[in-house]
Amino acid sequence: MHDAHDEMNPLLAAEARFDIAAEALHLDSGISKILRTPSREVTVYIPVEMDDGRIEVFTGYRVQHSIARGPAKGGIRYAPDVTLDEVRALASWMTWKCAVVNIPYGGAKGGIICDPGMLSQKELERITRRYTAEMIEVFGPELDVPAPDMGTNQQTMAWIMDTYSMHKRHTVTAVVTGKPLDLGGSRGRTEATGRGCLFVTQQALAKLGIPADKATVVVQGFGNVGGQGARLMSAAGMNVVSIVEWDGAVYNPQGLDIPALLEHRRRTGSILDFPGAENMATDEAMYLPVDVLVPAAKENVITSANAHKIRAKIICEGANGPTTAQADPILKQNGVFVIPDILANAGGVTVSYFEWVQNRQGYFWNEQMVNERLAEMMTASFHDVVTYADKHNVDNRTAAYMLAIDRVAFTIQLRGLYA
Ligand code: NAD
C-alpha cells in the first residue's frame, strides 16, 4: 500500500488487518489460504421491467466468505458503485465481526449495482424479488441470512422474506433479519448498534478509570448509529459535548440535549443553529480534547493525514472502517484506546442473531430481555478482546482480529477438510 487511493481501498484494508493478526498468531499457512479466499461467490443478472416499459438488466452479487461457524450472515447493499472486490472485503469483515462477539454465524455480503435514489418503489420491489428468486438455493435460515445495508431497509427485507416464503410455500421469517416488527423483527433492533457502542464505551471508561458521569463525548454522524448512540450515552449520564454532521458541528461544553437536537434536526433538516449550542467547524469538533470520540458516519475518516490531530482518549468505532490501516500505528503511538469496529458496532448483528433465534423459536422476547442479553454479550466480548490484547501485547484491533481468526481457524481444524 503506497498511495492515498490504496489507503481508502476496503479490500486492501481488510487484507492488511488480516495479515498483521495472522502473523501475530503464527497462523498455519494452509488455514491462512482458506481464510484469505471466500468460500463461495454468486453473480446473477437480474432482468427487470422498468416503469416505462423498458427492460433493464442489473448485476447482483452474494459472497459467502465463511460458513465454518454457522450460516453465512451479512447485509445486502444497493449502490451504483458496488464491486465484487468490495463485497468480498465486506463479507470477510462479517466473518470476523460474528466471531468476535461469538455468535454462531459465518460471514457474507451481497450487493446489487443500482442507484436506489433513481428507482421507484415498484422497480426496487421487482429488482429485490428477482434477485431473491435467483438466490433461492443460496439463501435460507440454515444457509445464508441477509440483512439491510446501504440503500436497503426493512421494506427490502420484507420483500425478500415474502419472495422466499412464496417459493417455499410457507412463511419463513428466519431467512432475513432487520425485518419490520410486525413481520418478525426484533424489539431493540433499531437501537442495537448505538446501544452496543454505549456498552463497550462504558467498559473502556471503567478500564481507563474515567468516571462515566464525567466523560465527555463527540459523535460524528447523527444517523441510526450515531443518533441512537448519542441519545443513549447522554441518557446514561455522559456529557455529549459535540455532534458532527456533513454540513457542520454543534458544541456545548455543558453537554447537548440530544432528544431536543434530534427534534431540531427533524424540524429544520440540519443540526446547525440549535438554540442549545454554538455552531463549530467540523474539523475543530473532531479534534476536541475529549474522553470519547465516536466516528459513526462513514469509512476512512481517520487517516494517516489526520490521525495525529486526534486528542480523544478513546475511539469507539460506530461506523465500519472509519480508521484506515495506515492510521492505526499513529493512534497506537499516541496511546489512543481504540474500540475497533468489528467489536464496537457488533451490537447490530448481535440483535440480528437474537431476531433469528426468536423467529426459529416462534417466541418473541420483550425489549428488556433483548437489551440485557446484548449487554451481556458486548461486555463479555469487550473483555475477551482486551484480555487478548494484554496477553499478547498488541493493540485492541489486532487483538480483535486475532481472537476472531483464532476462533474460525479452530473450528476449521476441528471440522477438518472434507475429501
Ligand atoms: P445513517 O445513514 O443512518 O447515518 C449516517 C449519518 O452520517 C447521517 O446522518 C449522515 O448525514 C452523516 N454523515 C454522512 N457523511 C458525513 C460526514 N462526512 N461527516 C459527518 N457526518 C456525515 O447510517 P447508519 O446506519 O447510522 O450507519 C453509519 C455507519 O455505521 C456506517 O459505516 C455503517 O456501515 C455502520 N454500521 C451501521 C449499523 C446499523 O445497524 N445501522 C451496524 C453496523 C455498522
Side-chain angles (χ1 to χ4, degrees):
M1 273 187 259
H2 302 296
D3 59 23
H5 181 70
D6 282 351
E7 182 170 352
M8 307 299 176
N9 179 317
L11 188 64
L12 294 178
E15 284 175 353
R17 268 67 180 260
F18 178 85
D19 287 345
I20 292 168
E23 196 184 314
L25 273 174
H26 306 295
L27 189 68
D28 174 83
S29 71
I31 297 284
S32 172
K33 272 186 211 155
I34 296 175
L35 293 177
R36 278 176 147 278
T37 36
S39 80
R40 191 187 206 192
E41 299 178 352
V42 183
T43 301
V44 293
Y45 297 96
I46 309 160
V48 174
E49 185 174 337
M50 310 305 281
D51 290 347
D52 62 7
R54 267 179 316 121
I55 288 177
E56 278 295 343
V57 179
F58 295 88
T59 306
Y61 303 111
R62 187 69 177 171
V63 174
Q64 296 173 349
H65 171 258
S66 171
I67 51 167
R69 286 169 48 89
K73 182 88 190 89
I76 299 173
R77 67 172 48 174
Y78 289 2
D81 54 356
V82 167
T83 65
L84 187 53
D85 259 1
E86 177 193 53
V87 178
R88 283 183 184 129
L90 296 170
S92 68
W93 247 340
M94 285 306 297
T95 303
W96 312 134
K97 194 181 287 191
C98 293
V100 165
V101 283
N102 216 356
I103 55 181
Y105 283 145
K109 205 78 182 189
I112 298 179
I113 306 173
C114 66
D115 187 348
M118 305 295 286
L119 296 163
S120 72
Q121 281 297 100
K122 284 286 162 206
E123 288 167 340
L124 282 170
E125 178 173 353
R126 289 195 287 271
I127 292 171
T128 303
R129 287 188 183 277
R130 182 63 186 250
Y131 173 74
T132 307
E134 297 289 346
M135 294 288 178
I136 208 76
E137 280 95 22
V138 175
F139 294 159
E142 310 284 351
L143 301 175
D144 183 342
V145 185
D149 194 74
M150 267 167 53
T152 56
N153 54 30
Q154 292 194 349
Q155 178 61 70
T156 324
M157 297 306 111
W159 290 327
I160 295 177
M161 191 279 265
D162 183 70
T163 309
Y164 187 84
S165 298
M166 288 293 114
H167 281 259
K168 297 294 167 189
R169 319 305 291 169
H170 65 104
T171 298
V172 187
T173 51
V175 67
V176 282
T177 61
K179 297 180 292 295
L181 203 53
D182 292 320
L183 286 187
S186 178
R187 291 195 167 72
R189 175 63 186 88
T190 313
E191 306 82 19
T193 308
R195 196 179 291 279
C197 290
L198 164 70
F199 293 143
V200 291
T201 298
Q202 285 173 323
Q203 296 302 315
L205 288 167
K207 183 166 168 68
L208 301 192
I210 303 166
D213 59 351
K214 297 217 164 48
T216 49
V217 183
V218 172
V219 178
Q220 182 200 34
F222 206 40
N224 176 268
V225 179
Q228 298 292 346
R231 185 178 66 77
L232 292 163
M233 285 182 190
S234 165
M238 298 177 198
N239 227 3
V240 181
V241 295
S242 179
I243 298 286
V244 185
E245 262 289 334
W246 62 273
D247 55 349
V250 288
Y251 174 67
N252 180 344
Q254 306 310 317
L256 296 160
D257 178 344
I258 301 296
L261 183 59
L262 283 164
E263 176 54 25
H264 172 80
R265 208 260 310 262
R266 198 190 57 75
R267 250 186 318 107
T268 67
S270 170
I271 59 166
L272 299 180
D273 303 325
F274 176 53
E278 56 186 91
N279 291 343
M280 188 178 246
T282 54
D283 264 10
E284 200 181 338
M286 287 295 285
Y287 309 135
L288 283 169
V290 287
D291 295 309
V292 186
L293 171 64
V294 185
K298 58 194 200 73
E299 69 288 350
N300 299 332
V301 294
I302 302 171
T303 68
S304 55
N306 69 359
H308 60 280
K309 296 187 194 161
I310 301 282
R311 288 188 289 167
K313 297 191 182 95
I314 296 168
I315 295 179
C316 173
E317 295 185 339
N320 283 319
T323 309
T324 67
Q326 282 80 348
D328 284 344
I330 303 170
L331 297 175
K332 185 178 181 184
Q333 196 182 350
N334 291 346
V336 182
F337 188 94
V338 177
I339 314 173
D341 50 6
I342 57 172
L343 169 65
N345 69 36
V349 73
T350 302
V351 175
S352 275
Y353 164 60
F354 295 163
E355 179 175 336
W356 178 79
V357 169
Q358 292 171 72
N359 291 161
R360 286 154 55 101
Q361 283 184 324
Y363 177 74
F364 286 86
W365 310 349
N366 62 27
E367 191 167 345
Q368 189 189 347
M369 170 122 74
V370 171
N371 293 344
E372 279 171 12
R373 291 189 168 165
L374 177 63
E376 223 171 83
M377 292 186 66
M378 294 303 294
T379 306
S381 307
F382 177 90
H383 287 286
D384 285 352
V385 169
V386 297
T387 307
Y388 215 95
D390 289 344
K391 187 168 154 205
H392 296 271
N393 194 23
V394 293
D395 59 80
N396 292 335
R397 190 187 314 281
T398 305
Y401 273 84
M402 286 172 76
L403 179 66
I405 293 168
D406 204 10
R407 282 180 176 157
V408 179
F410 183 71
T411 312
I412 293 174
Q413 269 156 344
L414 261 186
R415 290 178 63 153
L417 289 188
Y418 180 61

